[in-house]
Amino acid sequence: AQTVTQSQPEMSVQEAETVTLSCTYDTSENNYYLFWYKQPPSRQMILVIRQEAYKQQNATENRFSVNFQKAAKSFSLKISDSQLGDTAMYFCASTSKTSYDKVIFGPGTSLSVIP
Amino acid sequence: DTGVSQNPRHKITKRGQNVTFRCDPISEHNRLYWYRQTLGQGPEFLTYFQNEAQLEKSRLLSDRFSAERPKGSFSTLEIQRTEQGDSAMYLCASSLELAGGEQYFGPGTRLTVT
């Protein structure tokens, strides 16, 4: 079965510092999509950032950026200038081998931003 | 439109009872997804619709589970003869018909089977 792996169940970072969350995935496809979703405590999941695999350039969204290593099947998320509101579960996800519509999620990394 | 809504937010039921959850997607979204999320895990895909057509079902979706989207708008997920293992958060999401498009999630329905 296709899997997305997040090897860091929990992480913490001091406010204003930078943190990197790791993610690896498996796929035999040449094109696919990768995502980082954020799920704050007791709140809805929202998209943080999205990457199309055929694009070499790493996606960025304000303080959030990714390091996409296609050959290594690695997709890490860097959060710069961490803020208290960044405290959340972060899920890495990939479109499936069979469909661009079906998304496979990793187990998540719980990030705590410490004041 | 204020986003994806789900009702009820919480449901406690006794083992063996049937439950039904409702999801109202963002109005212009023609794709609708159901996921199950257990504590400490990421969402697991259950099924999805494009308009009223159910396009894919996960093997997780046993014959006790059925989902419908009769008019291509809201969707219902029914679980018959609930078991304790069905206790989880059931998430609904919707999206535009776009390859690899962003999914917008609802707040979820937390099911507890006693």
Side-chain angles (χ1 to χ4, degrees):
Chain A
Q2 185 174 353
T3 57
V4 176
T5 302
Q6 295 178 252
S7 58
Q8 305 149 315
E10 296 181 3
M11 294 191 71
S12 62
V13 62
Q14 291 290 136
E15 194 175 5
E17 296 296 308
T18 295
V19 65
T20 298
L21 309 184
S22 301
C23 172
T24 57
Y25 58 93
D26 67 13
T27 182
S28 55
E29 300 302 304
N30 190 45
N31 195 28
Y32 46 90
Y33 297 83
L34 298 166
F35 312 87
W36 280 97
Y37 278 88
K38 168 186 177 181
Q39 189 174 39
S42 302
R43 294 181 61 187
Q44 291 164 231
M45 193 171 314
I46 57 173
L47 180 68
V48 175
I49 200 164
R50 173 178 174 271
Q51 175 84 40
E52 297 177 63
Y54 70 88
K55 289 187 176 180
Q56 296 296 321
Q57 187 173 5
N58 289 326
T60 63
E61 287 288 342
N62 301 313
R63 298 182 295 108
F64 299 87
S65 61
V66 298
N67 183 5
F68 173 46
Q69 301 290 326
K70 191 171 184 178
K73 297 182 181 177
S74 169
F75 184 60
S76 61
L77 175 70
K78 185 172 81 170
I79 306 174
S80 304
D81 185 26
S82 296
Q83 300 176 0
L84 297 179
D86 295 334
T87 293
M89 284 290 292
Y90 286 81
F91 295 99
C92 179
S94 167
T95 49
S96 79
K97 294 176 183 178
T98 57
S99 168
Y100 287 149
D101 306 321
K102 180 179 173 181
V103 175
I104 308 298
F105 285 84
T109 295
S110 177
L111 177 67
S112 298
V113 179
I114 302 166
Chain B
D1 197 348
T2 56
V4 179
S5 61
Q6 293 186 247
N7 288 288
R9 296 290 306 276
H10 300 91
K11 178 70 176 180
I12 300 173
T13 191
K14 293 184 177 180
R15 188 178 55 171
Q17 297 295 304
N18 299 343
V19 294
T20 299
F21 310 140
R22 176 176 170 131
C23 171
D24 287 88
I26 293 172
S27 57
E28 62 265 30
H29 287 179
N30 59 354
R31 288 188 177 155
L32 187 148
Y33 308 80
W34 285 100
Y35 295 89
R36 181 172 68 187
Q37 185 178 25
T38 53
L39 198 62
Q41 298 297 317
E44 296 173 291
F45 172 84
L46 293 178
T47 189
Y48 89 100
F49 294 83
Q50 181 159 309
N51 300 313
E52 65 275 11
Q54 188 172 18
L55 295 188
E56 188 171 345
K57 292 171 60 174
S58 166
R59 282 173 287 181
L60 293 174
L61 214 64
S62 75
D63 56 5
R64 296 185 299 107
F65 288 70
S66 62
E68 293 182 344
R69 194 183 183 198
K71 297 182 179 180
S73 56
F74 74 90
S75 176
T76 58
L77 177 68
E78 181 183 17
I79 309 175
Q80 296 182 327
R81 304 181 303 281
T82 51
E83 301 172 356
Q84 287 187 321
D86 297 331
S87 295
M89 177 75 84
Y90 290 84
L91 297 172
C92 176
S94 70
S95 74
L96 294 169
E97 186 176 346
L98 180 67
E102 176 179 359
Q103 294 187 19
Y104 293 78
F105 282 81
T109 295
R110 181 166 295 284
L111 173 66
T112 302
V113 182
T114 62

